[in-house]
Amino acid sequence: MELLKNGHGETGERTVWWSVFILLAIGTGYMFASGENTKVMMGIFTLILMGAIAFAQRRLKHSLPSFFVNIVYGFIFISVGLGTFGGFYDIPHFDDFLHIASGVMLAVGSWIILQKMLGEQLTARLPNAFIGLYIICFSLASAAVWELMEFAGDKLLNFTIQGRNPDDTMIDMIDGLVGGTVTAFIILKQRQKK
């Protein structure tokens, strides 16, 4: 249950949030000035998402640990700030790196959520096979939902997130599955040590 302890991370969480939010807002403004309307829309959606995460963290009774939320904010900055605004998607395999990292992040998030929902005692009694399957399925399902959102953005808002290539969708989901599966095994190994 160490993952669930927030400690004194709220100040750090706010600092990371403001840093990422301001940088993305500046990037969105720059994209607007450059006439990059699609990137402006992505920037606006990202800022709204960050606002929703911060609101949930303050209002929900069982908020996520600050260390995990900071990882999410960092991931958002790398994917949107560096990837979309900074042109890092032109670097070979940058997208693969992000999808593997998202699989890792989602796997850790699913483990945190499971522990919060069931509590320490009940989670400790669950068999490893169930936990591993749950984490892997959660990561893959989340990757699929992300790809559905990309598809919707491409079709409804004329984005080009999927690169007009169905292979990209499958490779992204496989990357997420790999990240989630590796993380599931690491979590199970740590669990066995305890």
Side-chain angles (χ1 to χ4, degrees):
M1 290 296 273
E2 291 172 23
L3 288 174
L4 301 182
K5 293 177 181 166
N6 251 339
H8 48 73
E10 283 185 28
T11 304
E13 184 179 323
R14 278 193 218 113
T15 303
V16 172
W17 186 90
W18 276 109
S19 300
V20 172
F21 189 87
I22 289 168
L23 288 171
L24 291 179
I26 291 168
T28 303
Y30 180 77
M31 291 298 129
F32 179 77
S34 302
E36 297 277 353
N37 294 335
T38 300
K39 292 181 180 181
V40 170
M41 289 293 294
M42 294 172 97
I44 291 169
F45 287 146
T46 304
L47 294 172
I48 291 169
L49 172 65
M50 287 192 63
I53 293 170
F55 179 81
Q57 280 294 97
R58 285 190 169 187
R59 298 288 182 222
L60 292 179
K61 185 177 180 183
H62 301 290
S63 62
L64 294 170
S66 290
F67 89 91
F68 179 73
V69 177
N70 286 337
I71 291 170
V72 172
Y73 293 150
F75 180 82
I76 288 171
F77 176 73
I78 291 169
S79 62
V80 178
L82 298 180
T84 302
F85 296 164
F88 277 42
Y89 280 107
D90 293 335
I91 298 171
H93 304 294
F94 179 76
D95 189 52
D96 293 319
F97 160 76
L98 283 180
H99 283 281
I100 291 170
S102 72
V104 171
M105 186 175 61
L106 290 164
V108 172
S110 70
W111 178 233
I112 292 169
I113 291 167
L114 183 68
Q115 292 178 88
K116 279 187 171 282
M117 284 177 27
L118 299 181
E120 193 169 350
Q121 290 182 346
L122 187 54
T123 304
R125 292 193 307 218
L126 291 173
N128 280 343
F130 171 82
I131 292 172
L133 183 63
Y134 159 78
I135 291 172
I136 291 167
C137 288
F138 189 100
S139 298
L140 183 57
S142 299
V145 167
W146 180 257
E147 292 303 317
L148 289 171
M149 290 190 317
E150 284 188 354
F151 178 78
D154 285 356
K155 293 297 181 186
L156 300 175
L157 302 171
N158 291 322
F159 290 171
T160 55
I161 303 169
Q162 293 187 314
R164 308 281 185 226
N165 181 354
D167 287 354
D168 180 67
T169 300
M170 289 296 102
I171 292 168
D172 290 350
M173 289 179 65
I174 291 167
D175 288 341
L177 177 62
V178 167
T181 302
V182 169
T183 306
F185 280 110
I186 292 169
I187 288 170
L188 292 178
K189 283 286 184 190
Q190 292 296 321
R191 188 170 185 257
Q192 285 175 337
K193 287 180 183 177
K194 292 180 184 179

